[in-house]
Amino acid sequence: MNDTLAVDAPSALRYARTIADLPSPKGHPFVGNALQLAGRQMHQKFTGWVREYGPMFRLDVLGHPVVIVSDAATVHALLRDRPEGFRRAGGLKQVMSELNIGGVFIAEGEAWRKQRKLVMSGLNVEVIRHFFPTMAAMTQGLHDRWTTRLAQGQPIDLKRDLKAMALDIIVGLAMGHRIDAVNHDGDPLQKDIDRLFDRLGQRTTAAFPYWRHVKLPADRAAERASAEIETKVVAFIRDTRERMDRERKPSTMLEAMIVAAEDPDSGFTDEELVSNAILSVVGGEDTTANSIGWMVYLLARHPEAAAALRAEVDAVLGDATLPREWEQLKLFTYLDAAHSETQRLRTVAPYIGLTSNADCVVADTFIPKNTAVIVATAGEGFDDTLFPEAAAFRPERWIAEHRPKREEDPARRVFPFGGGSRLCPGRFLALTEIKMVVAMIVRNFDLTLEPGAPEPTELLNFFMAPSAVPVRLAPRALNREASR
């Protein structure tokens, strides 16, 4: 496939076809495919169309063409061509702005470059490594909660607890505050984020923007939740500024961002600081919790994979209940593979919406300026010719020593964290948290599917979440006194 080539005039381009030449599913009069795209399983519709129409096809949405791309070479070229050649979809940016979610995620051009530097100053390896002991203590707290509840015969709501744990970690790392949502059912901040994501998912998958004309009670609740989140984040910023020691290095994401923002040459505004702080809290909770939830569910469905992961974790941790040393995280080869396989099958960000900044050619197809292009981040992950038995959960396919020599690195074919210069800035934090929590789980608990529970549904709440995590935990017999 050809790389993206952005220029100003179609006459300067060489291409073999136009959008009109692409295959397309049949739509409805006047609205085209718009109604087929509505709903929380919209991403599954894309996946089905990829199988039917191939790696590049078009949709008609209310008279406007939308191009869908899934082959790895073209996806890579498109993601690499941001932000110069492509920007985020305008409709998404508007929906997010209406709910007060912005920051680097929706910024473009120079504003994006400036804010990216701000955010990365708070998500670098040094900041996350400094936070590692606190993350370990929080993970121990989750372990202790589950151990106590099991001893008392109380149920464990894995979906709820994983979301609370992710919130504790991101608020601790980003804001430097301990809210202990894990042990406080109904934490107000977690409820506000859940309301926000519910509306974000509803609005981004709606056939038309009804809320700009009539607001439902859920829409008003989400807007109140957005205001409450902003109030809490502004208070975090104020408290952090008051207690910061200017003589030491920043120890939290917010401290690093404040230091960067207060550099007179940075050009950062308080508004940008607040918007990116809100984004870190909102975005850092849902994605990681969903990733862990899907992985735990798939491990429970595949005991042989769970056993292989447990053997690795036991070998790395010795007598410890969870990782206590930073360097241990580098030794989880199978855990990394299990995460990659989970993202292939259940990626939490199944697509990225783009808009072309200029006339360009994508895979020999002429794409006019301001055309919507949707990139499937699963890439070629469901192609049986590239991933044999693609529907199966096989972490081994990600480990080089288990792959036939002729097979390429599968990481080149899927894009769970996006790609190019707009690669997810929270990637390293997410992977650190996932390794910590999943290692603790398989080290200390047996996983079985909840008897009689239906398979969880994929729900697109902006990010793709499981409707439930129907996995039962049981204390593992270890024949040793675990050290802390």
Side-chain angles (χ1 to χ4, degrees):
M1 294 293 181
N2 291 348
D3 283 356
T4 304
L5 173 63
V7 297
D8 294 329
S11 60
L13 297 172
R14 298 178 61 186
Y15 53 91
R17 60 186 176 179
T18 66
I19 294 176
D21 298 317
L22 296 174
S24 176
K26 185 177 180 180
H28 301 285
F30 305 111
V31 298
N33 304 107
L35 297 179
Q36 296 162 281
L37 295 177
R40 298 298 180 87
Q41 279 77 43
M42 180 174 68
H43 61 295
Q44 293 179 336
K45 182 69 72 173
F46 286 156
T47 301
W49 281 334
V50 167
R51 293 192 180 104
E52 184 173 358
Y53 296 102
M56 191 171 186
F57 58 94
R58 64 179 169 84
L59 304 175
D60 171 38
V61 179
L62 302 174
H64 299 285
V66 178
V67 178
I68 314 297
V69 176
S70 64
D71 80 275
T74 307
V75 169
H76 176 71
L78 287 166
L79 296 179
R80 191 177 59 195
D81 203 17
R82 298 182 299 165
E84 287 77 16
F86 290 84
R87 62 188 184 274
R88 287 205 185 273
L92 171 63
K93 290 190 287 188
Q94 185 174 358
V95 168
M96 293 183 68
S97 295
E98 289 169 343
L99 290 171
N100 200 27
I101 306 172
V104 69
F105 190 87
I106 66 172
E108 300 290 348
E110 287 304 315
W112 169 77
R113 291 182 179 86
K114 180 176 64 175
Q115 292 184 49
R116 174 83 175 188
K117 181 179 179 182
L118 173 71
V119 171
M120 291 308 298
S121 68
L123 286 173
N124 62 48
V125 174
E126 184 177 358
V127 170
I128 296 172
R129 183 167 185 166
H130 186 275
F131 186 73
F132 178 77
T134 303
M135 188 184 296
M138 290 179 174
T139 307
Q140 183 68 55
L142 183 63
H143 165 275
D144 294 346
R145 171 184 170 85
W146 288 345
T147 300
T148 299
R149 291 185 70 86
L150 291 172
Q152 295 173 347
Q154 295 178 307
I156 292 175
D157 185 342
L158 271 176
K159 182 178 179 181
R160 178 265 166 203
D161 285 355
L162 291 174
K163 287 171 72 69
M165 177 66 180
L167 183 61
D168 280 343
I169 287 177
I170 192 59
V171 172
L173 173 66
M175 305 291 117
H177 286 257
R178 180 72 184 267
I179 61 174
D180 197 19
V182 163
N183 292 307
H184 293 87
D185 291 343
D187 179 81
L189 183 56
Q190 186 173 355
K191 284 187 172 181
D192 285 336
I193 292 175
D194 287 344
R195 291 191 186 100
L196 200 62
F197 268 114
D198 178 74
R199 282 301 92 184
L200 188 59
Q202 181 67 37
R203 293 182 180 185
T204 53
T205 59
F208 66 97
Y210 70 88
W211 60 92
R212 293 171 194 157
H213 307 282
V214 177
K215 288 184 179 178
L216 303 176
D219 292 294
R220 292 192 289 271
E223 291 174 1
R224 289 193 298 271
S226 175
E228 286 295 324
I229 292 170
E230 181 176 10
T231 298
K232 290 182 175 71
V233 168
V234 169
F236 288 153
I237 293 173
R238 182 192 62 238
D239 294 346
T240 300
R241 275 181 163 150
E242 290 175 354
R243 73 167 188 268
M244 277 182 66
D245 181 354
R246 308 293 175 177
E247 300 302 319
R248 65 176 175 82
K249 290 184 177 180
S251 60
T252 69
M253 177 180 176
L254 184 56
E255 287 182 2
M257 288 169 63
I258 288 173
V259 169
E262 291 182 348
D263 181 343
D265 297 326
S266 70
F268 296 131
T269 65
D270 266 8
E271 181 181 358
E272 290 169 337
L273 176 61
V274 170
S275 66
N276 281 291
I278 292 172
L279 178 65
S280 68
V281 172
V282 172
E285 185 243 29
D286 216 58
T287 53
T288 308
N290 291 341
S291 295
I292 296 173
W294 281 120
M295 193 191 307
V296 170
Y297 171 70
L298 290 170
L299 287 169
R301 279 188 59 184
H302 298 85
E304 70 289 349
L309 176 56
R310 171 173 285 173
E312 174 181 86
V313 170
D314 285 351
V316 171
L317 296 187
D319 289 335
T321 55
L322 52 90
R324 297 291 179 184
E325 300 173 14
W326 176 260
E327 296 301 319
Q328 288 177 321
L329 299 183
K330 299 177 182 179
L331 304 178
F332 291 130
T333 303
Y334 196 89
L335 202 163
D336 280 333
H339 171 260
S340 295
E341 184 73 341
T342 299
Q343 289 300 307
R344 182 183 69 83
L345 293 170
R346 299 288 192 277
T347 181
V348 297
Y351 66 87
I352 300 173
L354 308 175
T355 302
S356 55
N357 290 332
D359 295 335
C360 61
V361 171
V362 176
D364 289 330
T365 307
F366 173 62
I367 305 293
K369 181 179 179 180
N370 295 327
T371 297
V373 179
I374 294 179
V375 167
T377 58
E380 299 165 336
F382 295 106
D383 188 333
D384 279 295
T385 63
L386 300 172
F387 291 87
E389 298 178 81
F393 180 71
R394 288 174 43 197
E396 290 79 9
R397 69 173 95 236
W398 296 86
I399 301 174
E401 64 191 65
H402 293 281
R403 292 199 305 268
K405 291 183 179 180
R406 66 180 183 278
E407 290 188 8
E408 294 183 9
D409 182 357
R412 296 178 179 272
R413 300 190 179 278
V414 295
F415 307 86
F417 292 99
S421 58
R422 295 198 74 145
L423 184 74
C424 175
R427 176 180 178 272
F428 187 72
L429 171 61
L431 291 174
T432 302
E433 181 178 344
I434 288 167
K435 290 179 184 181
M436 176 72 79
V437 175
V438 173
M440 180 275 288
I441 291 174
V442 299
R443 174 64 172 156
N444 300 281
F445 302 97
D446 291 320
L447 308 176
T448 55
L449 294 175
E450 196 71 45
E455 183 174 352
T457 303
E458 297 180 7
L459 297 176
L460 201 59
N461 290 335
F462 185 63
F463 298 113
M464 197 273 286
S467 57
V469 183
V471 175
R472 180 174 292 180
L473 300 184
R476 179 187 174 198
L478 293 172
N479 298 321
R480 53 97 172 116
E481 184 65 28
S483 65
R484 297 193 178 190

